[in-house]
Amino acid sequence: MKLLFIFGPNLNLLGEREIEIYGGMSFAELTKLITEEAHREGVEVEIFQSNHEGEIIDCIHQKRKEIDGIVINPGAYTHYSIAIRDALKAVALPTLEVHLSNVHAREEFRHHSVIAPVCWGQITGLGAWGYLLAIRAFLLARGKS
Ligand code: DQA
């Protein structure tokens, strides 16, 4: 099984950005945690981060035939990118939306996701664990765990 992890804008600044909300783990540390957990479970991972909507869409298009599922944290694009939503709908792969913070406990504009309706599920507010749970969910769906 191969999963594509997509990180949207500003997530490259994890560890220095709003630490009280996102925690002190850097982006490099988070991706290491994801990669190590995935490999322990025999899952291949590809990790992509971009601050640009079009690059995220290109990545979804380019990788669509090589992967079994997507784990996406679209960052602020969560709340308004119809284009990323359409790309996910178009490739029709099982997708989990993950947020480090609990978007429902924050500003009103973060309560709505335009991405969630085209996803298999959403994990929000569990920090880095959300990514580990996303891997677990794909394994459970495959009947491997
Ligand atoms: C986020 C929540 C979004 O509202 C925000 O714009 C982000 C990060 C999260 O992981 O909690 O950039 O997706």
Side-chain angles (χ1 to χ4, degrees):
M1 178 164 62
K2 182 167 176 181
L3 299 177
L4 171 63
F5 285 75
I6 299 177
F7 294 86
N10 301 306
L11 291 165
N12 52 309
L13 293 186
L14 284 175
E16 30 178 309
R17 168 197 187 202
E18 297 179 277
I19 288 169
E20 61 297 347
I21 294 173
Y22 298 114
M25 188 183 281
S26 70
F27 182 66
E29 287 165 344
L30 176 62
T31 56
K32 186 168 179 273
L33 184 79
I34 292 168
T35 307
E36 284 176 355
E37 172 71 3
H39 289 168
R40 248 194 310 275
E41 298 289 353
V43 174
E44 267 185 84
V45 288
E46 177 122 3
I47 293 183
F48 179 77
Q49 191 278 327
S50 175
N51 296 321
H52 305 277
E53 187 178 33
E55 284 182 3
I56 292 170
I57 294 163
D58 287 344
C59 176
I60 294 167
H61 291 182
Q62 279 156 17
K63 299 293 173 188
R64 71 187 192 280
K65 301 244 162 86
E66 300 165 28
I67 54 175
D68 302 295
I70 298 173
V71 179
I72 186 166
N73 183 343
Y77 286 139
T78 304
H79 314 298
Y80 66 93
S81 177
I82 307 295
I84 293 176
R85 173 195 170 120
D86 284 352
L88 292 171
K89 183 110 198 264
V91 301
L93 287 161
T95 298
L96 287 176
E97 179 184 316
V98 175
H99 298 287
L100 295 158
S101 67
N102 179 357
V103 286
H104 302 291
R106 299 182 61 195
E107 303 96 321
E108 184 119 19
F109 64 85
R110 295 187 204 276
H111 297 182
H112 183 65
S113 168
V114 298
I115 307 295
V118 300
C119 288
W120 172 31
Q122 186 193 52
I123 301 171
T124 186
L126 300 180
W129 292 348
Y131 289 99
L132 307 184
L133 292 169
I135 294 170
R136 174 75 40 212
F138 274 101
L139 288 167
L140 286 166
R142 278 271 169 125
K144 282 200 179 147
S145 209

